[in-house]
Amino acid sequence: MSENEIQVNQSPNGIGSRQGTLVQDHQRTNDETRHGKSRQRTTGTNGDANGNAINGYGNPEKPSFVQSCKDFGVWQTLRKMVQKNFKPERRIGDAPNVVESLKAIATCSWLNVLLVCIPVSWALHFAKPDSNVLVFVFSFLAIIPLAKLLAFATDEMSMRVGQTLAGLLNATLGNAVELIVAIIAIVKCELQVVQSSLVGSILSNLLLVLGMCFFAGGTQFSEQGFGASATQINSSLLTISVIAVLLPAAFHNAVQGSSLSNGEEKNDILMMSHGVAVILLFIYASYLIFQLWSHTHLYEDKHESNFKSTRYEKKDADSVKSGSTGHAGHLSAAVDKITHRFRHSDPAVDGSEKAVVGANGEASRAEQQEPEEEEEEKPKMSFPMSIGLLVVVTVFVAVTAEFLVDSINGVTSGSSALSKEWVGLILLPIVGNAAEHVTAVTVSVKDKLTLSIGVAVGSSIQIALFVIPLMVIIAWGLGKPLLLLFDPFESVTLFLAVLTVNYVVQDGKSNWLEGMILMCLYVIIAVCFWFYKGSDVTQALAMCT
């Protein structure tokens, strides 16, 4: 051995440095081997120096769409979104059997008595086709229990998902009646009925259903809070839809007296309607992503920015006594209220008092949490039975709605006081919105006003941004000239209704008086349209064959 090697071997530092170098070389070799194996597993036998796959031409292949989604975490985000929206708020109990489910369907509402009108309306349609009034009345009454059964099946399905998705389900399936009636009316060239029924559905949801929710909740609570941010976004979406309806009418008025003929103007407005319909559908798709993915927290009842609902104050027993004891009762109640606020707001409270309050608070919290842990929601139908009920009810609604649309001309013709505008704007939406009406009012009394607004306003948004443009696209495919040029009086009424609702909900609170205002406005609109016989603007431009 050389003298230098002996010195290195004898030096502790030399031994450590040489062993460290050998260990590092060994680890580097193992790392390269592992990376090479993983690269082979990923890219196969053909791969470049960076581990990318190489095709037969020697060019690196692009990663697949699935692999790219995994790399950017899209699958994880989608999985979280699905888990959040499909996770029920409460624990779901065991589903009943078939017999119990059928019994629940039969006894879910007293409106099931009206189911006898279904075979009667069908028999009248085939036996006495000229009796349009009888067919219309019995078909109208038959759709009411069908809408209630639709709401019952929707509630059973919504029980198994999150609150946001539950509101979307209620709004979507609640609009099934309007959707079916509109498609049948398009096929039969009743374009005026289509436009009136869709505008009437928006008015019914915004004024009647939302007003009933505010009024019913106001009977239990002095003020109810809801998601003001989400509601303002909904108001903006409704405003956009109203603008989309008003612009074709403004275009029509602007070109009056110009060199455009009726045929040229019709083609221009028709192409304008098709383009605007596609844009509205894109806006609705973006709204769904916003509601179900990126900003789901805004549509929850327990969001931190929501105003807390307050119940009516109960008068103290001493305060109702006459004489000096009444003043003492008021003074005692005021002192107790100030002391209560001081205890909950001032951190410098005496330690012993804190301990007593803390012990009592823990006991009360334990008592409050105990029933919440044991509380579970018992479904009345199994999930397959709910799906089956939805399918059956949808078929019955489709057939009955066809008979209803066939009888409208006979009811509104001649010297009848009813007009197509009033039937489409008032009567048909009341029947179609029966499902949303029952659901929204029921949950508003339980202090779930955010869900009520999600059903009422969400249904209006769905009609304005999805159903109306979808009907325009469907009519386009069927060769029917359905325009976004609505009746001028209906368009102005829709604009004023959206403006009123925007003023009512802008503070994030509601009371019974605001609900009364919305309901009274709906009655005013119904009275005004009773005397309105319609405009011939759309009929002159859009001749349906």
Side-chain angles (χ1 to χ4, degrees):
M1 298 179 72
S2 64
E3 195 172 357
N4 293 333
E5 289 178 351
I6 294 174
Q7 289 178 358
V8 170
N9 288 334
Q10 288 179 354
S11 173
N13 297 330
I15 295 174
S17 61
R18 176 174 295 183
Q19 289 179 350
T21 304
L22 292 176
V23 170
Q24 291 176 359
D25 293 339
H26 182 69
Q27 290 178 352
R28 188 180 300 109
T29 304
N30 292 337
D31 291 340
E32 291 175 355
T33 304
R34 284 196 299 268
H35 285 297
K37 291 181 179 180
S38 62
R39 189 179 302 156
Q40 289 178 0
R41 286 194 300 265
T42 305
T43 64
T45 56
N46 297 327
D48 60 3
N50 296 325
N52 299 322
I54 297 177
N55 55 22
Y57 299 98
N59 299 321
E61 293 181 355
K62 295 182 179 180
S64 63
F65 177 76
V66 177
Q67 185 64 33
S68 300
C69 291
K70 289 182 179 180
D71 294 338
F72 286 101
V74 176
W75 292 123
Q76 296 179 358
T77 306
L78 290 175
R79 184 166 60 249
K80 290 180 181 179
M81 182 188 69
V82 171
Q83 291 175 353
K84 185 173 183 179
N85 287 303
F86 284 87
K87 182 181 179 182
E89 292 185 345
R90 299 178 183 177
R91 189 174 57 183
I92 305 299
D94 296 332
N97 53 32
V98 177
V99 178
E100 293 177 350
S101 299
L102 293 175
K103 184 178 179 181
I105 294 173
T107 60
C108 67
S109 174
W110 61 270
L111 290 174
N112 288 344
V113 178
L114 296 177
L115 290 173
V116 70
C117 296
I118 297 177
V120 175
S121 63
W122 292 13
L124 289 173
H125 175 76
F126 291 107
K128 294 185 175 182
D130 296 333
S131 302
N132 293 311
V133 177
L134 290 177
V135 174
F136 179 84
V137 171
F138 281 99
S139 300
F140 182 87
L141 295 176
I143 292 180
I144 295 177
L146 291 175
K148 181 62 181 73
L149 289 176
L150 196 66
F152 178 64
T154 305
D155 291 340
E156 290 296 313
M157 294 180 61
S158 302
M159 185 189 304
R160 297 168 170 86
V161 298
Q163 176 180 324
T164 305
L165 190 58
L168 182 62
L169 275 176
N170 279 282
T172 303
L173 297 177
N175 289 329
V177 176
E178 288 94 335
L179 189 63
I180 294 172
V181 171
I183 293 176
I184 294 174
I186 288 175
V187 174
K188 296 182 178 295
C189 280
E190 294 289 346
L191 302 183
Q192 189 176 1
V193 175
V194 175
Q195 292 180 331
S196 298
S197 63
L198 294 179
V199 173
S201 179
I202 298 176
L203 295 175
S204 176
N205 281 300
L206 284 182
L207 301 179
L208 184 62
V209 178
L210 190 61
M212 284 292 294
C213 291
F214 286 171
F215 184 81
T219 59
Q220 302 295 325
F221 297 89
S222 174
E223 287 183 328
Q224 282 187 292
F226 50 86
S229 300
T231 306
Q232 287 300 317
I233 293 172
N234 294 341
S235 300
S236 301
L237 293 173
L238 287 173
T239 305
I240 291 176
S241 64
V242 172
I243 292 174
V245 171
L246 291 177
L247 285 180
F251 177 83
H252 171 70
N253 292 328
V255 298
Q256 290 295 320
S258 63
S259 59
L260 284 178
S261 62
N262 284 342
E264 294 175 344
E265 183 182 353
K266 172 190 171 182
N267 292 331
D268 291 342
I269 296 179
L270 189 60
M271 290 187 292
M272 181 193 307
S273 301
H274 295 162
V276 173
V278 174
I279 297 174
L280 291 179
L281 290 175
F282 174 76
I283 294 175
Y284 183 72
S286 303
Y287 164 69
L288 290 181
I289 296 174
F290 182 87
Q291 184 183 22
L292 299 177
W293 190 353
S294 63
H295 290 73
T296 55
H297 59 281
L298 294 180
Y299 295 87
E300 296 176 355
D301 273 324
K302 299 180 180 180
H303 190 256
E304 57 184 6
S305 64
N306 293 2
F307 178 81
K308 304 300 180 183
S309 301
T310 57
R311 292 185 177 272
Y312 290 100
E313 294 183 358
K314 295 182 179 180
K315 294 183 179 180
D316 189 70
D318 295 335
S319 64
V320 297
K321 295 180 180 180
S322 59
S324 60
T325 56
H327 296 285
H330 282 293
L331 181 60
S332 176
V335 172
D336 291 340
K337 186 180 292 186
I338 294 174
T339 306
H340 176 75
R341 292 180 179 175
F342 175 74
R343 286 177 178 175
H344 285 272
S345 61
D346 192 359
V349 184
D350 183 66
S352 60
E353 186 176 355
K354 268 187 170 183
V356 175
V357 175
N360 294 334
E362 290 176 358
S364 62
R365 283 196 298 270
E367 292 176 358
Q368 293 177 357
Q369 290 178 359
E370 185 174 354
E372 290 181 359
E373 293 178 356
E374 298 178 357
E375 187 178 4
E376 69 175 13
E377 205 160 2
K378 180 69 175 177
K380 297 180 181 179
M381 287 191 304
S382 61
F383 188 76
M385 184 65 70
S386 302
I387 298 293
L389 181 61
L390 282 175
V391 174
V392 173
V393 170
T394 303
V395 172
F396 276 91
V397 168
V399 177
T400 309
E402 183 177 2
F403 300 158
L404 181 69
V405 173
D406 288 337
S407 62
I408 288 178
N409 283 329
V411 173
T412 58
S413 62
S415 60
S416 176
L418 289 176
S419 62
K420 284 187 178 181
E421 282 74 17
W422 203 84
V423 171
L425 200 77
I426 305 298
L427 288 183
L428 294 182
I430 289 178
V431 177
N433 292 332
E436 299 103 300
H437 201 160
V438 174
T439 302
V441 173
T442 302
V443 298
S444 66
V445 179
K446 300 177 182 178
D447 196 23
K448 292 185 177 180
L449 197 59
T450 302
L451 179 58
S452 298
I453 294 177
V455 173
V457 181
S459 179
S460 301
I461 291 175
Q462 193 174 69
I463 291 290
L465 296 180
F466 177 70
V467 177
I468 290 180
L470 181 63
M471 292 301 102
V472 173
I473 299 299
I474 290 177
W476 186 12
L478 295 175
K480 310 293 183 180
L482 181 61
L483 308 176
L484 285 179
L485 176 63
F486 285 73
D487 186 276
F489 191 34
E490 294 177 0
S491 302
V492 173
T493 303
L494 180 62
F495 171 74
L496 295 177
V498 172
L499 187 65
T500 304
V501 172
N502 189 22
Y503 282 133
V504 169
V505 302
Q506 65 182 354
D507 59 347
K509 297 180 292 183
S510 69
N511 50 62
W512 66 267
L513 181 59
E514 292 178 341
M516 181 68 71
I517 291 172
L518 295 179
M519 289 189 294
C520 290
L521 178 57
Y522 186 77
V523 175
I524 291 173
I525 292 174
V527 172
C528 293
F529 272 92
W530 176 265
F531 301 99
Y532 183 65
K533 299 304 180 181
S535 174
D536 59 349
V537 173
T538 56
Q539 296 179 359
L541 290 179
M543 298 298 295
C544 183
T545 56

